[in-house]
Amino acid sequence: MKQLFERLKTGIFTENPIFIQMLGMCPTLAVTTSANDGIGMGLATTAVLIASNIVISLLRNIIPNKVRIPAFIVIIASFVTIVDLVMQAYLNDLHGQLGIFIPLIVVNCAILGRAESYASKNKVFPSIFDGIGMGLGFTLALGLIGATRELLGVGTILGMQIVPDSIPTIGIFVLAPGAFFVLGMLLAVFNHISNKKSKEA
């Protein structure tokens, strides 16, 4: 059980896909104009990550080594299609906001990377926890970036007014350059905390 919780900690902190590995930058920069969109994309990616990790782990001794990458992509694409259709049916507004970036989950390096480096070499149960940890790390990062951009850009978080109307907001944070500014600021904070803990250890 300790090993399983270690997988969660690794995904959320030690090897966070955004703040440590810098993977999945396209959705990170494009769909984090609000906390709602960031969390929605993160959860959609998490669902694909967990499901693909399970199937790839189950088939790891069957898939020939020479065709493993195409096989992984087919498996991931199948689950992306399922998530895309489910969101279109039940979360149509969010589906419209995320647009083309839902099908593009197929080429998210974080998912293919976990399939190649972990799920294809480990049993199902640890692979599930690896998918949950990486997915939560991805979701927390996108949600934090989205919440920061939304707060600074329009004064709200998840649509709730936080900054009074009398205080002006900075509109550039909900535009494309704002994604780079916020990502840079959060990376600096994350690295500062990581370095401080390393020195204390």
Side-chain angles (χ1 to χ4, degrees):
M1 187 58 74
K2 184 180 178 182
Q3 183 188 2
L4 299 179
F5 282 112
E6 189 64 30
R7 296 312 314 161
L8 294 178
K9 181 183 173 186
T10 297
I12 296 172
F13 298 108
T14 316
E15 295 179 13
N16 186 286
I18 302 297
F19 294 133
I20 298 297
Q21 300 185 68
M22 300 288 289
L23 297 174
M25 286 294 105
C26 289
T28 301
L29 299 173
V31 304
T32 54
T33 52
S34 70
N36 189 50
D37 290 354
I39 293 169
M41 174 56 77
L43 292 177
T45 306
T46 301
V48 174
L49 191 53
I50 294 170
S52 60
N53 265 14
I54 292 172
V55 174
I56 289 167
S57 179
L58 284 170
L59 300 177
R60 68 186 185 281
N61 296 323
I62 299 174
I63 298 173
N65 193 45
K66 289 182 179 178
V67 296
R68 69 184 192 286
I69 297 299
F72 294 167
I73 292 174
V74 169
I75 292 168
I76 293 167
S78 301
F79 287 112
V80 169
T81 303
I82 292 171
V83 168
D84 187 23
L85 293 174
V86 169
M87 289 183 72
Q88 191 173 8
Y90 297 104
L91 300 167
N92 201 39
D93 290 343
L94 181 61
H95 184 270
Q97 289 287 335
L98 299 180
I100 187 65
F101 290 97
I102 299 174
L104 286 178
I105 292 173
V106 174
V107 292
N108 189 316
C109 302
I111 298 177
L112 189 58
R114 296 323 293 176
E116 171 69 3
S117 68
Y118 196 86
S120 64
K121 299 179 177 67
N122 291 279
K123 295 180 179 177
V124 174
F125 210 50
S127 296
I128 293 173
F129 274 78
D130 183 72
I132 294 172
M134 285 293 164
L136 286 179
F138 191 72
T139 303
L140 288 172
L142 262 60
L144 186 59
I145 294 169
T148 305
R149 291 179 67 187
E150 187 181 347
L151 179 65
L152 296 175
V154 295
T156 63
I157 292 180
L158 292 172
M160 294 181 292
Q161 193 71 37
I162 304 296
V163 178
D165 291 334
S166 57
I167 299 175
T169 55
I170 310 169
I172 193 172
F173 281 105
V174 291
L175 301 177
F180 288 98
F181 293 145
V182 172
L183 178 61
M185 288 189 297
L186 293 177
L187 276 174
V189 172
F190 201 86
N191 285 332
H192 174 73
I193 294 172
S194 297
N195 291 336
K196 191 175 179 181
K197 286 187 175 180
S198 298
K199 290 178 182 176
E200 290 174 354

